[in-house]
């Protein structure tokens, strides 16, 4: 027993933890309550299996949307490439939808091993192959007998780009998919929205503690990564509609960086603390997932804090400049541009769909404000960059 634990401690982790995991499993089979073996196993799992896997699997809205999109796009006889296997859930959805065979890749060996067990437990081992490697290491003719008819993935973070989706899909569509292959998702867009959150401001930038002024430390707190649980605690209150920053076509992904400026519009009186970045992915026509302020799924959100909170009223606007290099997003808030949009007599424009979903909006608007449908006559919005 002790020999197994010592061997586990001395193992190299270059194999992704497989040998260590097997030794600890043997040790815990002999003595399920062995303290050191339990601790080592917990640390190994914590190191190699990201915690977000669990709430992702439990995200009902996300799972239902992917099920619907897969059923709409996968046809009997299809070869499906599923990038980012995880527990094997989307691969099993594709097999259930009628795929001839699903090849799903997972670069973390411990996760790939567990996925094979999940797939076997569900009786689908003969129709799903788990490849323990990155997608860019897959070779047609060796790992897959032919290119894919459908490329399926869910490799996005809270700001869409952080898990390398564009680079991964650019390679997959060029090297691993048939011409005209279908994709899930089809496209995505990034949006930015002004928010009020006194709790977020206090959590990230407490003014004082025990009578001491802490404001000189605030310069480090520019960006807040907000977990789903934090969203409820922080009570993020939208001060205006979301504005599009960038659009991405996953059927023809591009690795070109882009820069875009947009004006965020204030339509409610309040304290402007931050802008919140969110995304929407269209999986198939009419089927989408999002982490906007109205969603409650497993994705968190990212907020960019103003240097100084601003008291705002309907009609105020502020310029935001965003830039991405296809793998990360940066945002500059031009706080000195904050001004009242109607001060020169200009009409305050508010999209109709925003007004309809915010029944209390009208009481916050100036009396001379006009609410227009985008279809009737809306100002130009930021163009999408592919």
């Amino acid at each position: 027993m002790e020999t197994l634990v010592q061997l586990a401690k001395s193992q190299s982790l270059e194999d992704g933890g497989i040998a260590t995991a097997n030794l600890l499993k043997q040790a815990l089979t002999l003595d399920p309550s062995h303290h050191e073996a339990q601790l080592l196993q917990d640390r190994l799992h914590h190191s190699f299996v990201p915690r977000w896997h669990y709430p992702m699997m439990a995200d009902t809205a996300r799972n239902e949307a992917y099920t619907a999109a897969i059923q709409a796009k996968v046809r009997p006889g299809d070869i499906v490439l599923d990038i980012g296997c995880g527990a094997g859930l989307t691969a099993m959805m594709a097999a259930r939808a009628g795929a001839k065979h699903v090849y799903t890749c997972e670069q973390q060996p411990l996760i790939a091993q567990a996925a094979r067990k999940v797939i076997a437990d569900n009786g689908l081992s003969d129709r799903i192959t788990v490849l323990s490697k990155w997608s860019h290491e897959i070779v047609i003719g060796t790992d897959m007998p032919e290119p894919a008819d459908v490329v399926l993935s869910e490799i996005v973070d809270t700001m869409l780009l952080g898990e390398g989706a564009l680079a991964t899909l650019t390679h997959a569509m060029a090297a691993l998919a048939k011409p005209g292959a279908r994709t899930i998702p089809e496209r995505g867009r990034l949006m930015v929205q002004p928010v009020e959150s006194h709790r977020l401001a206090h959590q990230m930038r407490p003014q004082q503690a025990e009578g001491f002024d802490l404001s000189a430390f605030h310069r480090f707190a520019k960006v807040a990564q907000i977990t789903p649980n934090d969203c409820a605690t922080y009570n993020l209150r939208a001060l205006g509609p979301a504005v599009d920053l960038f659009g991405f076509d996953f059927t023809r992904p591009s690795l070109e960086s882009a820069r875009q400026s947009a004006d965020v519009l204030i339509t409610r009186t309040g304290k402007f603390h931050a802008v919140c970045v969110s995304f929407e992915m269209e999986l198939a026509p009419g089927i989408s997932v999002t982490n906007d302020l109205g969603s409650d799924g497993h994705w968190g959100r990212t907020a960019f804090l103003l240097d100084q909170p601003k008291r705002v009223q309907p009609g105020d606007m502020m310029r935001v400049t965003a830039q991405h290099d296809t793998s990360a997003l940066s945002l500059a808030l031009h706080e000195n541009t904050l001004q009242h949009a109607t001060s020169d007599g200009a009409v305050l424009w508010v999209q109709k769909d925003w007004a309809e979903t915010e029944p209390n909006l009208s009481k916050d608007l100036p009396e001379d404000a006009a609410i227009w449908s985008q279809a009737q006559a809306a100002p130009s919005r930021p163009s999408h960059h592919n």
Side-chain angles (χ1 to χ4, degrees):
M1 176 66 195
E2 294 300 328
T3 300
L4 289 171
V5 173
Q6 293 306 313
L7 282 173
K9 291 170 66 175
S10 65
Q11 284 294 314
S12 167
L13 296 177
E14 291 182 357
D15 64 349
I18 290 292
T20 302
N22 289 339
L23 288 166
L24 291 173
K25 182 179 178 181
Q26 293 176 51
L28 288 169
T29 298
L30 295 172
D31 182 2
S33 63
H34 192 283
H35 176 68
E36 188 174 17
Q38 288 179 335
L39 288 179
L40 289 171
Q41 186 180 67
D42 289 344
R43 290 171 185 168
L44 184 72
H45 292 169
H46 186 79
S47 297
F48 287 107
V49 184
R51 304 297 93 181
W52 48 257
H53 277 282
Y54 314 130
M56 178 181 69
M57 291 187 293
D59 189 337
T60 300
R62 173 249 189 202
N63 294 342
E64 290 178 348
Y66 264 86
T67 293
I70 288 168
Q71 289 176 344
K73 289 207 161 190
V74 173
R75 302 166 186 166
D78 277 345
I79 298 297
V80 175
L81 171 61
D82 175 43
I83 301 176
C85 177
L89 182 57
T90 51
M92 292 188 293
M93 291 177 185
R96 182 176 61 187
K100 176 183 176 181
H101 203 90
V102 181
Y103 296 88
T104 180
C105 58
E106 173 56 59
Q107 60 87 22
Q108 213 301 311
L110 279 178
I111 298 177
Q113 185 182 69
R116 292 188 185 99
K117 180 65 166 62
V118 171
I119 290 165
D121 288 348
N122 286 275
L124 291 170
S125 295
D126 60 331
R127 296 176 55 203
I128 301 175
T129 298
V130 178
L131 304 171
S132 188
K133 57 178 58 182
W134 296 97
S135 62
H136 66 255
E137 297 173 335
I138 294 174
V139 177
I140 299 298
T142 301
D143 300 304
M144 296 172 57
E146 60 182 290
D149 300 286
V150 180
V151 176
L152 168 63
S153 67
E154 198 267 69
I155 45 175
V156 300
D157 67 351
T158 60
M159 293 198 295
L160 198 67
L161 304 175
E163 292 187 27
L166 288 176
T168 297
L169 292 174
T170 296
H171 170 264
M173 296 304 291
L176 305 175
K178 295 172 183 172
R182 286 151 270 146
T183 64
I184 303 171
E186 291 185 351
R187 55 189 52 84
R189 62 186 179 115
L190 276 169
M191 305 164 285
V192 65
Q193 187 167 21
V195 298
E196 175 185 79
S197 175
H198 295 279
R199 293 177 182 174
L200 171 63
H202 175 71
Q203 185 73 23
M204 295 294 294
R205 291 176 174 169
Q207 295 300 311
Q208 62 85 30
E210 297 301 318
F212 297 105
D213 181 2
L214 303 176
S215 57
F217 207 74
H218 292 175
R219 64 187 181 88
F220 297 120
K222 295 283 190 181
V223 183
Q225 300 296 339
I226 304 172
T227 68
N229 288 337
D230 288 339
C231 290
T233 302
Y234 290 159
N235 189 28
L236 299 168
R237 176 177 178 259
L239 294 175
V243 177
D244 285 358
L245 291 176
F246 303 108
F248 305 95
D249 184 348
F250 295 134
T251 66
R252 294 181 293 276
S254 168
L255 291 180
E256 291 185 12
S257 60
R259 181 183 177 91
Q260 172 74 349
S261 291
D263 291 319
V264 294
L265 173 67
I266 302 298
T267 55
R268 282 177 164 170
T269 299
K271 200 74 169 287
F272 188 2
H273 290 112
V275 295
C276 192
V277 174
S278 61
F279 71 80
E280 181 180 59
M281 284 195 304
E282 183 179 332
L283 306 182
I287 304 169
S288 63
V289 292
T290 183
N291 70 337
D292 65 16
L293 292 183
S295 66
D296 62 356
H298 77 283
W299 285 289
R301 295 168 184 86
T302 302
F304 291 78
L305 283 77
L306 276 66
D307 287 336
Q308 294 294 332
K310 313 287 186 185
R311 176 62 60 179
V312 291
Q313 60 182 321
D316 289 346
M317 298 183 77
M318 189 182 76
R319 177 62 54 93
V320 173
T321 297
Q323 187 165 336
H324 75 80
D325 59 4
T326 73
S327 63
L329 178 78
S330 65
L331 211 66
L333 311 180
H334 304 291
E335 297 180 44
N336 61 340
T337 66
L338 183 65
Q339 60 182 331
H340 194 63
T342 60
S343 59
D344 59 355
V347 175
L348 173 65
W349 301 89
V350 182
Q351 289 184 36
K352 185 178 179 183
D353 57 353
W354 166 260
E356 288 176 344
T357 59
E358 299 291 334
N360 296 320
L361 179 64
S362 58
K363 68 181 178 64
D364 290 329
L365 294 175
E367 292 182 0
D368 59 348
I371 299 179
W372 289 75
S373 162
Q374 184 180 15
Q376 290 172 310
S380 60
R381 298 180 68 179
S383 60
H384 288 186
H385 291 258
N386 295 318

